[in-house]
Amino acid sequence: MAILVCGGAGYIGSHTVAALVSAREEVVVFDNLSTGHRSSVPTGVKLYKGDLRNLDDIEKVFLENDILSVIDFAADSRVGESVTDPLKYYDNNVFGTIQLLKTMVKYGVKHIVFSSTAATYGEPKNIPIEENDRTIPTNPYGETKLTVEKMLNWVDKAHGVTYTALRYFNAAGAHISGKIGEDHKPESHLIPLVLEVAGGKRDKIMVFGDDYNTKDGTCVRDYIHVSDLSDAHVLAVKRLESGGDSRVFNLGNGTGFSVKEIIEIARKVTGHPIPAEIKGRRAGDPGVLIASASAATKELGWDPKFNSVEAIIESAWKWHKNNPNGYEE
Ligand SMILES: NC(=O)c1ccc[n+]([C@@H]2O[C@H](COP(=O)([O-])OP(=O)(O)OC[C@H]3O[C@@H](n4cnc5c(N)ncnc54)[C@H](O)[C@@H]3O)[C@@H](O)[C@H]2O)c1
Ligand SMILES: O=c1ccn([C@@H]2O[C@H](COP(=O)(O)OP(=O)(O)O[C@H]3O[C@H](CO)[C@@H](O)[C@H](O)[C@H]3O)[C@@H](O)[C@H]2O)c(=O)[nH]1
């Protein structure tokens, strides 16, 4: 029986597909290639090009394959864009997941691992953030992910579909093989943008706000290596398949780095001066997001390997140097 990976041609999805293949799982990928890349899916893995919002597209996969569990990465995920275009986010992230869940219920598929986010918390009261802390999203992106988490809870009660919602903090880095990495067009994430400056593709990095209540006034985030995230997905799906109950887990390193610190570390890693310019705040950005991931460590047996942000940035730099234009397609 196969694991269906929706959004498996995307950044975190492709790394998880690689981890599942290494674990000798049978994998089927479903992706509309809106931000994903055909060539990030390994040869030998079936790729269905389709959109989750289209029931015919997704139903074809369930008809043609024996699906045991689903891992769902498919979503739009730019915090800033979600503020200016909230309906795009409700349409893709909420309606798309409704269509997926309807199909799972129809075909009796009982397990789903869902990509949630630290953006569900909004401006946190406590640092590090624990899973049962309050959730008041400050942007539509986080709101759509929280809405899906709540929907999953009701779908479990009504239809016995068990779920794991993994609330990732900031995914970064690239696979050690050097063959897959982050390629978003346009790019909006801090680390790849900083590395585009180092690679000569941009003149400077814009720092969104230096008047936050943090050590140097810039936003603090918890950066977690994409391969550590993919390992957590393999553990989560296996736990559900062995009868584990529905749960929410944070995934982060438990250490925060400011935007200025990230730029400084990237200067050391790349040897490039990386000019920076302070701009105004980006709408919807909380000041500090740092995870407590002790529940995932304890209950999933998760053991992240990349606990230095230098190593995370080095792995991303290797990918950017070897693939300055991302995937050649
Ligand atoms: N990157 C991060 O730091 C981060 C942090 C927290 C949560 N997340 C969540 O993790 C997931 C993956 O993030 P990513 O950075 O890999 O993003 P990504 O854009 O690289 O991957 C998303 C994939 O889903 C596909 N997709 C989007 N909408 C679809 C649809 N309607 N039907 C079929 N396929 C569709 C895209 O083509 C892409 O391949 C997202 O759900 C995101 O919200 C990401
Ligand atoms: O050119 C840039 C880009 C980003 N930032 C800042 O850098 C930090 C990190 O930004 P970014 O890399 O865009 O990530 P986030 O906005 O923190 O969001 C990521 O992390 C969230 C969880 O923390 C996920 O939910 C999102 O999907 C994922 O994009 C933020 O403070 C941004 O304001 C800049 O200063 N300049």
Side-chain angles (χ1 to χ4, degrees):
M1 290 188 87
I3 298 172
L4 168 62
V5 183
C6 298
Y11 170 45
I12 309 170
S14 61
H15 286 75
T16 302
V17 169
L20 289 165
V21 169
S22 300
R24 303 191 172 279
E25 296 291 340
E26 193 185 330
V27 185
V28 176
V29 170
F30 179 83
D31 201 299
N32 66 4
L33 302 179
S34 57
T35 56
H37 306 272
R38 192 178 287 275
S39 52
S40 72
V41 178
T43 38
V45 170
K46 235 193 265 180
L47 166 65
Y48 285 83
K49 185 175 178 213
D51 194 295
L52 270 189
R53 290 162 290 192
N54 183 340
L55 272 181
D56 291 342
D57 286 359
I58 184 68
E59 193 154 356
K60 183 172 161 46
V61 182
F62 284 77
L63 277 170
E64 293 182 1
N65 299 275
D66 205 357
I67 306 293
L68 176 60
S69 318
V70 175
I71 305 181
D72 181 23
F73 295 97
D76 287 310
S77 61
R78 289 189 198 108
V79 171
E81 182 189 60
S82 79
V83 177
T84 53
D85 194 358
L87 294 176
K88 175 178 177 182
Y89 281 71
Y90 278 88
D91 180 48
N92 201 19
N93 299 2
V94 180
F95 177 60
T97 317
I98 292 174
Q99 301 298 73
L100 172 63
L101 288 168
K102 270 189 200 160
T103 314
M104 288 177 65
V105 170
K106 180 167 174 186
Y107 286 85
V109 175
K110 294 289 186 194
H111 313 294
I112 179 166
V113 178
F114 172 67
S115 293
S116 190
T117 165
T120 51
Y121 294 108
E123 197 65 66
K125 247 187 162 167
N126 309 310
I127 295 291
I129 306 170
E130 296 192 347
E131 287 83 352
N132 55 7
D133 285 353
R134 67 175 195 187
T135 45
I136 310 177
T138 53
N139 53 64
Y141 165 66
E143 191 76 56
T144 59
K145 292 286 184 171
L146 188 60
T147 302
V148 171
E149 284 192 12
K150 290 179 180 168
M151 189 161 73
L152 287 168
N153 188 39
W154 291 112
V155 171
D156 180 4
K157 287 192 168 67
H159 304 289
V161 174
T162 55
Y163 68 91
T164 307
L166 298 175
R167 292 180 180 162
Y168 333 141
F169 284 60
N170 290 56
H175 198 267
I176 44 157
S177 66
K179 291 193 178 142
I180 50 175
E182 187 165 12
D183 176 11
H184 291 127
K185 291 187 181 80
E187 188 50 78
S188 69
H189 294 116
L190 179 66
I191 291 179
L193 286 174
V194 165
L195 296 179
E196 285 186 9
V197 180
K201 293 186 73 186
R202 281 173 197 270
D203 295 342
K204 58 189 168 194
I205 183 75
M206 300 297 186
V207 175
F208 297 146
D210 68 348
D211 57 349
Y212 287 92
N213 185 18
T214 59
K215 43 193 160 187
D216 59 20
T218 65
C219 286
V220 169
R221 294 288 182 273
D222 180 340
Y223 294 88
I224 177 78
H225 195 276
V226 62
S227 295
D228 285 327
L229 291 181
S230 50
D231 287 349
H233 287 77
V234 178
L235 293 167
V237 80
K238 291 282 114 195
R239 178 180 168 277
L240 291 178
E241 288 174 2
S242 330
D245 58 348
S246 294
R247 291 295 305 271
V248 176
F249 294 115
N250 285 340
L251 298 178
N253 269 317
T255 315
F257 291 89
S258 73
V259 173
K260 281 187 176 168
E261 285 174 329
I262 291 292
I263 297 169
E264 198 46 49
I265 295 164
R267 286 179 179 134
K268 289 198 183 105
V269 168
T270 62
H272 189 282
I274 312 183
E277 183 181 320
I278 308 292
K279 295 266 286 186
R281 290 185 177 198
R282 188 175 65 177
D285 270 348
V288 181
L289 292 172
I290 301 172
S292 160
S294 54
T297 311
K298 218 178 294 160
E299 288 169 53
L300 283 181
W302 187 50
D303 180 20
K305 307 284 181 298
F306 289 80
N307 42 26
S308 103
V309 82
E310 284 82 354
I312 293 176
I313 294 176
E314 271 163 17
S315 74
W317 179 228
K318 181 174 156 195
W319 157 258
H320 281 272
K321 266 193 311 194
N322 294 340
N323 304 274
N325 299 314
Y327 292 99
E328 302 286 357
E329 285 175 325

